[in-house]
Amino acid sequence: MQTTIMLTRPDDWHLHLRDGKQMRNVLPDTARQFSRAIIMPNLRPPIVTVEMAAAYRARILAALPVSLQGQFEPLMTLYLTDDTPPAEIKRAKESGIVHAVKLYPAGATTHSDAGVTDIARCFSALDRMEQLGIPLLVHGEVTDSMVDVFDREKVFIERVLQPLTQRFPGLRIVFEHITTRDAVEFVRAASENIAATVTVHHLLLNRNALFSGGIRPHHYCLPVLKRETHRQALIESATSGHSRFFLGTDSAPHPVSGKESACGCAGIYTAHAAIELYAEVFEQAGALDKLEAFASFHGADFYHLPRNIDRITLVKESWSVPERLTFGDEFLIPLRAGERVCWKKLT
Ligand code: NCD
Ligand code: ZN
């Protein structure tokens, strides 16, 4: 039995850090493990300009504890709106700090009310992104209330993503936090310009986890967990060695009061144990030899960034996840709270 894993330091290609005191609480969890992370722009107000992204980046760097300073690089993104001017895309390219633009269909998820109401409104911005080689990151769900919530990703592929790839064949797109066999098949069949991130919670859990013994708000995220056959497809894709599937935690912290509510927020916090939990998934799939490429190579290659050089070590050592973690003036409940994780990253 393998008891040690050594791998090139990984990156997280999809992360929610929030801001202020809350950010100061969660940031060290990510920076301890990952060298870089793509920072989601869905703050209130959203990060819609390069100037806002630069200010947010400076706040992130200032929030790093002394021991992690110089060891973590936030890769910033812009929040695409109906009115994003192509000139802002050009500024993003020139900035060197903005690495992608995020598409949230309006109303699809947490803080998406400023998102895109009709993709056609963004064609001039997308055109510029295609020219300049800036990736589009996609929250791939339709918001049509007539579409069943479990089918929203599949319908998004048909209605939005497939046509988009035809209209902008040179646009690089990351289909974020994929949850279905349909998404896996779409990415496999698509061109080299289309990739996907896979979260650890979608690899670990199927939709039964939402209802085991009662309703489980801490397992609620968007896109919502799907049935087992989809989880199996995600495991196959992540552990296959295919270069267009890579790690993106979508770790999305919310205070307990926001989750344990009559109308609870979407988002699962996994940053406290991310690489260890991915290791568990890959071990169970008999594919530990594929973890490094998924976690440390494929994303950097797709973003045209250098691969990291330093290495981390995980050991087979069971540890107990805290029941709760401090989050601003409140607490958050991490995935596996009060339960055990079987791999541990050495500090
Ligand atoms: C994210 C959040 O809380 O910001 N929530 C989630 O369930 N994943 C938003 C998102 O990525 O959809
Ligand atoms: Zn997200």
Side-chain angles (χ1 to χ4, degrees):
M1 188 184 66
Q2 190 170 342
T3 55
T4 309
I5 307 170
M6 293 214 319
L7 72 161
T8 302
R9 184 177 292 277
D11 301 302
D12 184 351
W13 300 99
H14 185 129
L15 177 67
H16 298 271
L17 277 182
R18 315 306 188 204
D19 211 342
K21 237 164 127 178
Q22 294 182 336
M23 170 168 73
R24 279 200 293 282
N25 293 136
V26 295
L27 175 60
D29 280 348
T30 291
R32 269 190 304 107
Q33 305 166 58
F34 297 102
S35 175
R36 299 169 288 200
I38 283 278
I39 310 300
M40 288 296 131
N42 63 332
L43 301 185
R44 278 225 160 98
I47 303 295
V48 293
T49 64
V50 174
E51 200 183 338
M52 292 173 87
Y56 186 26
R57 180 172 181 275
R59 294 197 297 281
I60 296 168
L61 291 174
L64 277 169
V66 177
S67 61
L68 292 167
Q69 273 169 21
Q71 299 193 37
F72 176 73
E73 192 188 354
L75 306 172
M76 309 312 291
T77 61
L78 294 188
Y79 185 117
L80 187 67
T81 71
D82 288 349
D83 309 311
T84 303
E88 200 61 40
I89 302 297
K90 184 157 173 279
R91 276 192 285 277
K93 181 70 186 179
E94 286 162 1
S95 75
I97 59 157
V98 174
H99 293 266
V101 175
K102 178 73 189 274
L103 162 64
Y104 290 103
T109 187
T110 307
H111 301 172
S112 63
D113 29 301
V116 171
T117 62
D118 176 357
I119 191 70
R121 292 178 178 246
C122 303
F123 283 171
S124 57
L126 295 174
D127 198 49
R128 190 60 60 90
M129 288 166 60
E130 184 181 38
Q131 281 166 18
L132 297 176
I134 299 190
L136 176 72
L137 315 183
V138 174
H139 183 109
E141 288 191 289
V142 293
T143 54
D144 182 343
S145 62
M146 296 310 288
V147 177
D148 189 280
V149 68
F150 292 99
D151 296 333
R152 287 183 184 177
E153 185 172 279
K154 176 180 159 60
V155 175
F156 184 89
I157 296 170
E158 295 157 9
R159 289 192 193 166
V160 184
L161 200 49
Q162 179 75 53
L164 200 63
T165 58
Q166 266 150 20
R167 188 176 184 106
F168 299 100
L171 181 63
R172 277 187 299 136
I173 298 177
V174 183
F175 194 172
E176 299 288 339
H177 43 51
I178 56 168
T179 61
T180 57
R181 186 172 288 278
D182 310 271
V184 170
E185 284 167 6
F186 173 79
V187 172
R188 280 185 183 278
S191 82
E192 289 296 307
N193 289 331
I194 315 299
T197 53
V198 189
T199 79
V200 78
H201 46 280
H202 289 105
L203 290 169
L204 285 167
L205 306 173
N206 65 34
R207 65 190 193 177
N208 286 347
L210 285 164
F211 307 109
S212 63
I215 192 151
R216 300 293 196 121
H218 300 291
H219 288 161
Y220 175 58
C221 64
L222 285 170
V224 72
L225 297 173
K226 302 297 191 301
R227 57 168 75 236
E228 179 62 11
T229 165
H230 295 297
R231 188 180 78 92
Q232 289 299 334
L234 296 180
I235 292 176
E236 282 155 30
S237 72
T239 62
S240 67
H242 189 298
S243 65
R244 286 184 285 111
F245 295 94
F246 46 84
L247 185 158
T249 62
D250 193 21
S251 180
H254 289 275
V256 183
S257 61
K259 298 285 295 172
E260 298 180 6
S261 150
C263 187
C265 317
I268 299 181
Y269 187 71
T270 54
H272 61 297
I275 193 63
E276 290 104 336
L277 289 169
Y278 278 107
E280 194 176 301
V281 170
F282 278 67
E283 181 183 36
Q284 274 166 21
L288 273 179
D289 60 321
K290 300 291 199 309
L291 177 64
E292 182 179 41
F294 173 80
S296 316
F297 297 160
H298 296 163
D301 295 352
F302 188 84
Y303 275 87
H304 299 165
L305 291 169
R307 294 178 179 183
N308 296 320
I309 292 168
D310 63 324
R311 297 172 75 75
I312 63 164
T313 303
L314 309 180
V315 291
K316 197 75 186 275
E317 184 185 315
S318 164
W319 57 284
S320 175
V321 174
E323 294 282 356
R324 57 186 202 173
L325 299 169
T326 302
F327 188 53
D329 297 326
E330 292 190 56
F331 294 97
L332 68 80
I333 309 293
L335 187 67
R336 288 268 172 95
E339 295 171 41
R340 304 195 73 81
V341 172
C342 66
W343 287 97
K344 192 171 196 322
K345 179 182 166 293
L346 292 184
T347 47

